Amino acid sequence: MDLRIFTEPQQGATYDTLLAVAKATEDLGFDAFFRSDHYLRMGTVDGLPGPTDAWITLAGLARETKRIRLGTLMTAGTFRLPGVLAIQVAQVDQMSGGRVELGLGAGWFEEEHKAYGIPFPKEKFARLEEQLEIVTGLWATDPGKTFDFHGTYYDLTESPALPKPAQRKIPVLVGGHGPSRTPRLAAKYADEFNMPFASVEDSERQFSRVRAAAEEAGRDGHELTYSNALVVCVGRDDAEVARRAAAIGREVEELKLNGLAGSPSEVVDKIGRYAEAGSSRIYLQVLDLDDLDHLELISAQVQSQLS
């Protein structure tokens, strides 16, 4: 089971804070550092000092880390034109020496679009499908050849399809709860399918749908990596769990029900249930980015039992 650290910087984080978390991620032996792609805080937090851009952040971290994978859960398709996104991600992949992964989603948070003047189209899923075809098609085009795409929402003519990533193929993540269109999209374009903030039972059902869609598309359904994203809150004792839950404005019992919370042994047991459902990778949503002791505890007493 791979454990990855997943952050939500729109809730309030500087680049230096994210750098400290990324370096701890690397030093403590976690597999990857991922971040959300949002421009507006959610809930009652003040979000200060304000948002940071996902791909600018990852470009900086690409130069300041050595081993960990770097990526997004999920880049919002509404924020960037797909041709520009392909350039950005390929460049960051070069800067990292081939350690980047792209999670790409349709975008959903209308308020942040209003706040920063970003168009929020009504039909987002069909746009996402074209975006995935364009981004992956640009990267796959042989050097010296051009890429053309003429769709409903995007039109590319004689694109040189440059630059190329450092990796032969950047892993692409697709995720979500949709019962039909989402599995079909994952089957066509994804290397990894991510189930965000879902129960073991719902994850198992969705993984089965994705595997079936992959088989229908002529792929081996077991080629894909299946993963979950879950909030994490671990403590050595009940008091420490309660303190960490309070720091992120959550209740312990709710976290135990909907995330990975409790003692290290409780969390290891629940991760085991997700593994039985087919998950081989967990994105640990860390909401208190100043609590690096939390990461140390997870590394020493959770990750060590899973490796």
Side-chain angles (χ1 to χ4, degrees):
M1 176 67 72
D2 293 335
L3 295 186
R4 296 182 159 189
I5 301 302
F6 169 41
T7 62
E8 300 275 2
Q10 76 278 354
Q11 300 301 88
T14 64
Y15 173 76
D16 286 340
T17 298
L18 295 173
L19 175 60
V21 175
K23 286 189 170 181
T25 297
E26 185 157 85
D27 293 343
L28 293 169
F30 293 105
D31 183 60
F33 174 95
F34 271 60
R35 61 157 291 166
S36 61
D37 188 21
H38 287 294
Y39 290 137
L40 193 67
R41 60 104 180 101
M42 301 171 194
T44 59
V45 300
D46 57 28
L48 295 176
T52 51
D53 181 83
W55 285 101
I56 290 177
T57 297
L58 295 175
L61 297 179
R63 307 303 290 178
E64 299 195 74
T65 58
K66 302 292 185 185
R67 177 189 59 81
I68 52 173
R69 308 289 294 177
L70 300 166
T72 51
L73 280 181
M74 299 283 188
T75 289
T78 48
F79 288 174
R80 299 167 180 87
L81 297 171
V84 174
L85 180 62
I87 292 170
Q88 291 171 322
V89 178
Q91 183 178 3
V92 178
D93 193 53
Q94 292 173 357
M95 294 167 70
S96 72
R99 293 183 285 123
V100 158
E101 304 185 9
L102 171 64
L104 185 58
W108 62 270
F109 190 21
E110 186 172 4
E111 286 79 2
E112 67 187 337
H113 294 74
K114 291 178 179 177
Y116 286 97
I118 304 167
F120 190 69
K122 182 178 181 180
E123 178 48 75
K124 294 180 288 298
F125 198 91
R127 288 176 180 269
L128 174 61
E129 185 160 13
E130 290 193 9
Q131 289 162 348
L132 284 163
E133 184 170 349
I134 291 166
V135 170
T136 57
L138 286 167
W139 291 338
T141 299
D142 290 333
K145 296 186 178 180
T146 59
F147 176 82
D148 289 81
F149 180 87
H150 307 291
T152 302
Y153 306 101
Y154 303 102
D155 200 290
L156 287 75
T157 301
E158 294 187 3
S159 171
L162 297 171
K164 298 302 182 192
Q167 297 176 86
R168 184 186 62 80
K169 186 180 190 308
I170 291 179
V172 172
L173 290 73
V174 170
H177 297 255
S180 56
R181 296 175 76 186
T182 298
R184 178 181 58 79
L185 205 61
K188 188 171 183 180
Y189 295 106
D191 301 284
E192 177 178 337
F193 179 79
N194 180 262
M195 192 61 169
F197 312 112
S199 68
V200 172
E201 295 75 18
D202 287 345
S203 298
E204 187 170 24
R205 278 191 290 271
Q206 188 71 331
F207 293 161
S208 295
R209 293 186 188 113
V210 174
R211 278 193 294 270
E215 298 289 346
E216 290 175 10
R219 295 180 66 183
D220 181 350
H222 297 284
E223 285 182 1
L224 281 80
T225 296
Y226 297 89
S227 64
N228 288 89
L230 295 159
V231 63
V232 66
C233 180
V234 187
R236 296 172 181 84
D237 53 36
D238 290 346
E240 191 168 72
V241 175
R243 175 176 64 78
R244 288 199 163 110
I248 60 174
R250 305 280 284 270
E251 297 293 330
V252 171
E253 291 309 312
E254 178 269 323
L255 287 169
K256 287 187 176 184
L257 179 64
N258 297 312
L260 298 172
S263 68
S265 61
E266 286 180 285
V267 170
V268 168
D269 287 345
K270 191 163 186 183
I271 289 174
R273 292 173 55 201
Y274 280 97
E276 290 172 359
S279 184
S280 63
R281 180 173 291 158
I282 303 287
Y283 292 82
L284 302 173
Q285 186 195 43
V286 177
L287 295 176
D288 185 353
L289 300 182
D290 295 315
D291 186 2
L292 298 184
D293 289 342
H294 193 197
L295 299 187
E296 291 181 9
L297 175 63
I298 296 167
S299 173
Q301 297 193 31
V302 176
Q303 182 171 240
S304 62
Q305 296 188 58
L306 300 171
S307 58

